[in-house]
């Protein structure tokens, strides 16, 4: 089985780079259409669902916390205070830089390590492998997909290749 680092960190970096490009395209689209790109940040699919800003925060948090919980990287608290398009892009750039400094060594032998996800509903115990494969990777792509969907819903001309990053 591939190492936990190999199946997560490089893919997360790629996904975050793709998210940055999608956000750039959203900003360009808003400008071309004559509306403030910040309007995109509050876009929701439905009232009880998190807006684009929160989707970006959750995507970046999921990536960062995988490195912290499994890769034994020191946590850097990040306030969820993004209020502008530049703030959201800076958050993505910060997450990419954080992950690019993560060493594969911290993931070695962590497949069976105890990982606990603390939620308002209670603690959820995982092994390192279960956390990576059963929570972090699906959660990362869920929020990345929602960011893509929110931008598409507003008319941003994105396609599958933008999400996959195959056009770069």
């Amino acid at each position: 089985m591939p190492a936990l680092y190999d199946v997560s960190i490089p893919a997360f970096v790629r996904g975050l780079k793709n998210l940055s490009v999608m956000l750039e395209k959203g900003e360009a689209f808003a400008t071309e259409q004559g509306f403030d790109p910040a309007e995109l940040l509050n876009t929701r699919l439905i009232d009880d669902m998190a807006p684009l800003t929160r989707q970006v925060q959750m995507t970046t948090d999921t990536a960062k916390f995988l490195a912290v919980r499994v890769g034994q990287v020191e946590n850097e608290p990040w306030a969820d205070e993004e209020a502008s398009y530049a703030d959201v892009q800076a958050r993505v750039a910060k997450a990419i830089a954080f992950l690019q400094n993560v060493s594969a060594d911290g993931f070695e032998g962590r497949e069976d390590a105890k990982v606990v996800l603390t939620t308002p509903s209670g603690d959820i115990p995982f092994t390192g492998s279960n956390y990576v494969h059963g929570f972090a990777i699906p959660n990362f792509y869920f929020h990345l997909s929602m960011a893509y969907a929110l931008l598409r819903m507003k008319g941003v001309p994105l396609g599958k290749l933008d999400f996959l990053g195959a056009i770069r």
Side-chain angles (χ1 to χ4, degrees):
M1 178 187 295
L4 296 178
Y5 175 93
D6 294 334
V7 299
S8 59
I9 299 300
F12 285 3
V13 168
R14 181 178 180 188
L16 290 168
K17 287 179 178 179
N18 297 345
L19 176 58
S20 181
V21 170
M22 291 188 287
L23 290 168
E24 286 173 11
K25 288 186 175 189
E27 184 174 30
F29 175 78
T31 301
E32 290 167 9
Q33 297 299 311
F35 67 91
D36 184 353
E39 287 181 33
L40 294 172
L41 301 179
N42 295 317
T43 300
R44 299 170 187 263
L45 288 178
I46 193 163
D47 290 342
D48 67 350
M49 191 168 184
L52 178 59
T53 299
R54 188 72 184 131
Q55 300 300 335
V56 171
Q57 292 165 346
M58 293 300 295
T59 304
T60 57
D61 281 348
T62 298
K64 178 184 79 157
F65 283 122
L66 175 127
V68 169
R69 292 180 178 129
V70 180
Q72 306 176 85
V73 173
E74 182 78 26
N75 187 27
E76 293 179 4
W78 297 348
D80 294 332
E81 301 174 335
E82 291 76 23
S84 70
Y85 224 82
D87 292 343
V88 170
Q89 281 286 32
R91 171 83 174 230
V92 174
K94 180 168 54 172
I96 292 167
F98 182 87
L99 294 179
Q100 287 175 330
N101 286 314
V102 170
S103 171
D105 295 343
F107 288 79
E108 287 300 316
R110 300 281 294 161
E111 291 78 10
D112 295 321
K114 182 179 178 181
V115 174
V116 177
L117 176 64
T118 301
T119 73
S121 304
D123 289 349
I124 304 171
F126 293 94
T127 64
S129 185
N130 286 340
Y131 179 78
V132 169
H133 296 288
F135 179 79
I137 291 173
N139 195 54
F140 178 86
Y141 285 109
F142 172 83
H143 291 290
L144 183 61
S145 295
M146 290 305 102
Y148 169 87
L150 290 168
L151 291 166
R152 284 293 298 132
M153 183 185 79
K154 293 307 254 181
V156 177
L158 298 173
K160 184 176 181 180
L161 293 179
D162 294 299
F163 181 87
L164 297 174
I167 58 174
R168 287 180 296 291

